Amino acid sequence: MTLHSLTESSSSITSGNNAADHFFLLRPFDDGVMTAELTNQTGRYQTVDKVVIYDWQHGLNDDALLYGEGFQMLSQTGGVLAKPVDIGRCDDGKAYRLYDPNREQRVYNLCVLNSGNQLILLGFVSCHRFAGYFSLRHGRIEVTLDLEGVTLAPHETIQLEGFCCLEGQYLDQLLSQFGQLMQVAHPRALPEKIPQGWCSWYHYYENVTADDVRENLAELKSYPALEFIQIDDGYQAFMGDWLTPSDKFDGGVPALIKEIKGQGKKAGIWLAPFIAERGSRLFKEHPEWFVKHPETDQPLAAEEVTYGGWRCTPWYMLDATQSEVIQYLKHVVSTMRNSWGVDYFKLDANFWGAVHGGKLSRENVTRVEAYRLGMQAINEAADGAFILGCNAPMWPSVGLVDGMRVSDDVERQWYRFNQIRRETFYRNWCHGTLWLNDPDCLVFRDIPGQVANQANYRLHLTTIIASGGILMLGDRLNALTTEQKSFVKEVSRLIDQGYGAAQFVGLDQHVGVANCSGGRLVTLTNGGEEALTLSIALQSEESCNVIVGAEVRLESDCVVVVLDGYDGAVIELTKS
């Protein structure tokens, strides 16, 4: 019913030449996917700003539950149709300025609606060239592709991105089907082994030193499952000069990596490949390599068009449509991979590789294409090393990363733990399908300015387990208690046992279930202030192992769990 009303709805084209009627839009469905084609029917060159593929009069109630994805990692939308609510803290409209939130409310890539017992999933299954979004208007949803003013030659036909509409009662089934369609459009063989290790950022931040890394390397001997030691932001002299160490790494990063490998561990490194700060050697020597301001033709500062960055600003963005930039990216990554011995790349600030509002050197190349060109170069140079995307444009990264950060940065605060829970759980379906999910680092201990109670830490630990994803520790390892060390080893066991990401039947995220051949793992979370009591029905001959939880009792046919405000629990149920 929904698909019929959708396909019968009207379309429209916004043309820079005010010549929308000079185009023909074909909207064929094949095996559940619609891949539109746009044809310039004239003998002249014509530009196109956007295509509204469907202007859908949906007829849904204003209180229909909503979930929408974002263009970039920090943007997700919940609430109801009449009143969408930001889930993250940096949305695409107000924070990243991708559109004017006073004129419309958008969600990108994926839109799920729950009206009564029926779920409707609208989604773009590909993102090779154009970003897709949904404009939420009163009684209508405009299914739109941003063509960024591309020019079509006389009588030229271009293929747009794939789109699907799915309906059903169970969210996990719809998302699984959707993920399979995305895999077809963006195939990538994902690593069989989920990375586990330690990251320097969340205890030391940019003040990390080589000696700090050595101290934690020594502690990692007690954790044989934790293979990686990942050096984060702070090792470099300037943002952009990734091969030049800061004075805190005066012995050089390659020598430190040699020590890491000498201890039987693998080395990971952080870099933000698409940006540079003004004081960097890269920017000083090659200002022509950067995205230009459309009016002045000078390098464009990020803050002029979007969120400006979190430190060492202003940031300037490399233009990956230039062959010299592609060679530079390959040089940096291949040096780290082949000369330094890096096995794991955490690529941060990737959004700025797809920045809007600037001018690229090559005409008729979209920002999605430019970003993908840069990422393809990095993949080639990484030569099989693990690639993690972070602060990335989500759909443009599909098929180009092994792992993806799916939440905000961890902070030891109840509200951030709860935010990360929601962000991660809504993206659990991506894990093992589009990429391996990274819910950010697991932490146990307060630091100055960041304080949480034990219930909050249980919520955080439950979120990490329920994600089924990458495990990176973020504390100073020699400060962990015996109990905290045992939790780390238990999380490693669950990953190695193959439970994977918990699945949720609906948009309610209280109870998630992950299955493996040995049993089922049930994760329970309370995202509210008041205590919450939940029960799990036991199947025949199931035994119960409480992994996380303060108040759990076993009854004849169920397990009863009492959660404090912002609390979590994990129960492993196996056949006796």
Side-chain angles (χ1 to χ4, degrees):
M1 186 67 181
T2 300
L3 182 59
H4 176 75
S5 67
L6 186 72
T7 56
E8 292 297 311
S9 61
S10 63
S11 62
S12 63
I13 297 164
T14 302
S15 168
N17 302 61
N18 295 316
D21 57 340
H22 293 166
F23 295 92
F24 175 70
L25 180 66
L26 183 67
R27 305 182 296 180
F29 263 89
D30 183 22
D31 290 333
V33 175
M34 188 282 295
T35 304
E37 292 182 348
L38 183 67
T39 299
N40 174 10
Q41 300 184 101
T42 75
R44 300 185 303 276
Y45 286 88
Q46 304 284 358
T47 61
V48 186
D49 295 323
K50 70 175 183 179
V51 176
V52 177
I53 302 172
Y54 299 112
D55 187 350
W56 181 39
Q57 315 288 321
H58 53 68
L60 299 174
N61 294 332
D62 286 348
D63 62 355
L65 293 174
L66 164 73
Y67 172 72
E69 263 298 334
F71 180 80
Q72 46 83 29
M73 180 192 84
L74 293 174
S75 187
Q76 293 166 277
T77 303
V80 297
L81 262 177
K83 192 175 181 180
V85 177
D86 293 333
I87 293 171
R89 65 185 173 93
C90 295
D91 69 297
D92 288 328
K94 295 185 292 293
Y96 278 79
R97 290 145 58 190
L98 286 169
Y99 66 94
D100 183 356
N102 295 314
R103 299 182 61 184
E104 63 177 310
Q105 173 71 47
R106 286 185 193 175
V107 300
Y108 281 79
N109 308 316
L110 171 67
C111 180
V112 180
L113 302 163
N114 187 351
S115 183
N117 294 322
Q118 191 72 358
L119 288 159
I120 302 166
L121 184 154
L122 308 174
F124 288 94
V125 301
S126 70
C127 190
H128 295 289
R129 192 178 185 191
F130 307 114
Y133 63 88
F134 305 90
S135 292
L136 308 178
R137 305 186 187 277
H138 183 66
R140 299 163 39 224
I141 295 177
E142 293 178 350
V143 181
T144 307
L145 282 166
D146 182 2
L147 267 63
E148 300 184 34
V150 299
T151 300
L152 274 67
H155 307 293
E156 181 184 4
T157 296
I158 61 171
Q159 183 171 294
L160 306 183
E161 304 296 344
F163 170 81
C164 74
C165 172
L166 305 174
E167 295 180 80
Q169 291 184 303
Y170 302 105
L171 182 62
D172 55 345
Q173 294 178 7
L174 292 181
L175 290 171
S176 176
Q177 185 179 350
F178 179 61
Q180 290 170 20
L181 293 173
M182 291 195 70
Q183 279 183 320
V184 173
H186 294 285
R188 187 181 181 94
L190 298 178
E192 294 183 6
K193 193 171 185 180
I194 295 174
Q196 301 180 48
W198 174 83
C199 167
S200 65
W201 181 251
Y202 290 104
H203 183 82
Y204 302 98
Y205 294 93
E206 70 271 22
N207 302 311
V208 66
T209 68
D211 286 340
D212 295 328
V213 175
R214 291 187 182 98
E215 176 194 290
N216 287 277
L217 172 62
E219 293 291 326
L220 275 181
K221 294 178 182 178
S222 302
Y223 304 90
L226 304 188
E227 290 186 282
F228 293 94
I229 186 158
Q230 188 243 304
I231 305 167
D232 215 282
D233 186 5
Y235 71 88
Q236 74 283 355
F238 291 93
M239 293 281 200
D241 294 344
W242 311 113
L243 301 180
T244 305
S246 72
D247 55 9
K248 302 189 298 296
F249 287 76
D250 53 1
V253 178
L256 182 58
I257 289 176
K258 186 175 181 180
E259 293 180 44
I260 291 170
K261 289 181 170 289
Q263 295 296 320
K265 298 298 182 181
K266 296 179 179 179
I269 202 152
W270 175 96
L271 71 157
F274 295 101
I275 66 162
E277 61 180 288
R278 186 187 295 273
S280 66
R281 182 178 176 183
L282 174 66
F283 184 79
K284 290 176 180 178
E285 293 185 356
H286 295 287
E288 73 280 6
W289 286 1
F290 291 82
V291 175
K292 301 298 190 297
H293 192 289
E295 296 177 1
T296 66
D297 215 36
Q298 295 300 305
L300 177 72
E303 60 201 33
E304 296 183 77
V305 292
T306 189
Y307 174 54
W310 51 87
R311 79 180 200 93
C312 301
T313 56
W315 288 355
Y316 297 89
M317 292 71 64
L318 285 168
D319 176 358
T321 69
Q322 298 186 38
S323 59
E324 295 87 353
V325 171
I326 293 297
Q327 292 307 311
Y328 159 77
L329 291 171
K330 287 182 177 181
H331 170 68
V332 170
V333 174
S334 64
T335 299
M336 289 179 165
R337 175 63 168 149
N338 299 317
S339 298
W340 293 14
V342 170
D343 297 297
Y344 179 106
F345 289 92
K346 178 182 176 182
L347 306 181
D348 207 346
N350 278 19
F351 164 80
W352 286 264
V355 73
H356 58 284
K359 185 174 74 173
L360 300 173
S361 293
R362 277 174 55 189
E363 294 184 354
N364 236 31
V365 177
T366 69
R367 60 196 177 97
V368 170
E369 289 179 292
Y371 171 71
R372 290 184 66 84
L373 285 170
M375 287 297 292
Q376 287 161 3
I378 289 170
N379 271 265
E380 182 180 332
D383 191 24
F386 189 93
I387 294 177
L388 175 72
C390 189
N391 277 291
M394 300 300 282
W395 260 231
S397 299
V398 179
L400 295 170
V401 294
D402 299 304
M404 177 66 85
R405 264 283 295 283
V406 293
S407 74
D408 204 338
D409 283 11
V410 69
E411 285 185 11
R412 298 145 173 98
Q413 312 277 6
W414 69 266
Y415 52 83
R416 183 59 59 84
F417 286 157
N418 195 44
Q419 175 192 330
I420 289 173
R421 172 191 67 88
R422 297 185 69 204
E423 292 169 332
T424 300
F425 287 0
Y426 277 126
R427 290 171 170 162
N428 262 20
W429 68 273
C430 302
H431 179 63
T433 301
L434 306 186
W435 45 59
L436 302 182
N437 278 3
D438 173 18
D440 208 11
C441 290
L442 173 61
V443 294
F444 293 98
R445 303 188 65 80
D446 295 345
I447 60 174
Q450 297 184 26
V451 179
N453 65 33
Q454 288 307 302
N456 305 155
Y457 279 113
R458 287 194 297 268
L459 177 66
H460 173 55
L461 177 56
T462 300
T463 299
I464 300 297
I465 293 172
S467 78
I470 296 169
L471 173 63
M472 285 284 176
L473 304 186
D475 290 307
R476 186 177 183 179
L477 294 179
N478 67 10
L480 296 185
T481 66
T482 300
E483 180 185 40
Q484 290 161 352
K485 292 177 180 178
S486 68
F487 276 133
V488 172
K489 293 175 180 178
E490 191 71 344
V491 178
S492 289
R493 178 186 70 82
L494 295 173
I495 291 172
D496 292 341
Q497 201 158 328
Y499 275 109
Q503 300 300 312
F504 305 91
V505 173
L507 293 175
D508 178 351
Q509 298 175 331
H510 286 314
V511 180
V513 179
N515 296 297
C516 79
S517 58
R520 57 189 178 126
L521 193 68
V522 182
T523 55
L524 307 100
T525 57
N526 180 11
E529 294 181 9
E530 302 299 322
L532 178 67
T533 300
L534 298 169
S535 63
I536 310 160
L538 289 172
Q539 299 174 4
S540 176
E541 298 182 347
E542 273 189 329
S543 59
C544 173
N545 173 28
V546 180
I547 296 173
V548 182
E551 189 175 341
V552 181
R553 65 178 185 271
L554 183 63
E555 297 188 355
S556 59
D557 60 348
C558 68
V559 179
V560 177
V561 180
V562 179
L563 299 174
D564 291 337
Y566 307 109
D567 195 0
V570 181
I571 311 295
E572 185 179 24
L573 299 170
T574 55
K575 293 291 184 180
S576 303

